[in-house]
Amino acid sequence: RHFTPPVSIYTLVDYAKSIVSIGNQTGEGWFLTGEMIELIHGGVNNIVCTQPFGCLPNHVVGKGVIKELRKHYPLSNIVAIDYDPGASEVNQLNRIKLMLSTAQKNLAKSQADDTGLTAQELPELKAGQFGEALPEDDWEDAADADAGTDGKKFA
């Protein structure tokens, strides 16, 4: 009742082949992409893709498919977080806060669409609940930037 079993690996292949070649053998290859699409099909639009310990192939595939997934699934909110000795905790937290901010905006928009009201007519979310976010147009640039080297703090 509270558990959805994973889909078969063949279904994951079908999901992934529209985004990345199933012959891709680097890092998680097509499997990572298939799992993210499985989550999206299951109603999970907010995904944190963790990149462990400088795994360059996973880093390239994981970040490489995010833009294409957003194109195919506009409600998807995916962020890649690097967990290695060179990644600062501030950068990791800021990326997660940006994702949460986008999730809150998407939720407010979804609620407005469901009720027929505009987002401004709905009660506003508490300002600063997840920190101050960048304008949506700047989010992708901020997510790709290394916040630890240029001294910027996004939240």
Side-chain angles (χ1 to χ4, degrees):
R1 185 174 131 178
H2 297 287
F3 173 75
T4 304
V7 299
S8 81
I9 196 163
Y10 301 106
T11 303
L12 291 179
V13 169
D14 287 339
Y15 288 164
K17 68 183 177 186
S18 67
I19 306 288
V20 66
S21 168
I22 59 170
N24 186 343
Q25 299 297 313
T26 59
E28 295 279 329
W30 53 265
F31 190 71
L32 176 65
T33 306
E35 286 184 319
M36 287 193 275
I37 295 172
E38 177 187 11
L39 287 169
I40 293 167
H41 285 188
V44 179
N45 292 321
N46 303 302
I47 301 170
V48 175
C49 181
T50 56
Q51 315 284 57
F53 309 111
C55 178
L56 184 60
N58 190 38
H59 182 82
V60 171
V61 172
K63 281 196 173 180
V65 300
I66 290 174
K67 281 186 183 181
E68 193 64 20
L69 284 171
R70 285 185 187 145
K71 188 189 310 181
H72 287 233
Y73 304 97
L75 295 178
S76 65
N77 180 21
I78 306 169
V79 64
I81 308 290
D82 296 323
Y83 283 95
D84 58 38
S88 73
E89 183 178 352
V90 170
N91 189 23
Q92 293 165 342
L93 292 174
N94 282 332
R95 287 175 185 247
I96 293 169
K97 286 180 181 182
L98 284 167
M99 190 203 93
L100 291 172
S101 176
T102 301
Q104 287 292 328
K105 288 179 189 176
N106 290 344
L107 178 62
K109 185 179 184 306
S110 173
Q111 288 174 341
D113 291 346
D114 290 346
T115 61
L117 300 173
T118 65
Q120 292 78 19
E121 292 172 328
L122 288 172
E124 292 196 9
L125 298 171
K126 291 181 184 175
Q129 183 176 1
F130 294 107
E132 294 300 318
L134 291 174
E136 209 167 309
D137 295 338
D138 296 337
W139 190 92
E140 193 166 323
D141 294 333
D144 291 337
D146 181 2
T149 59
D150 62 6
K152 291 182 182 175
K153 185 176 177 188
F154 297 117

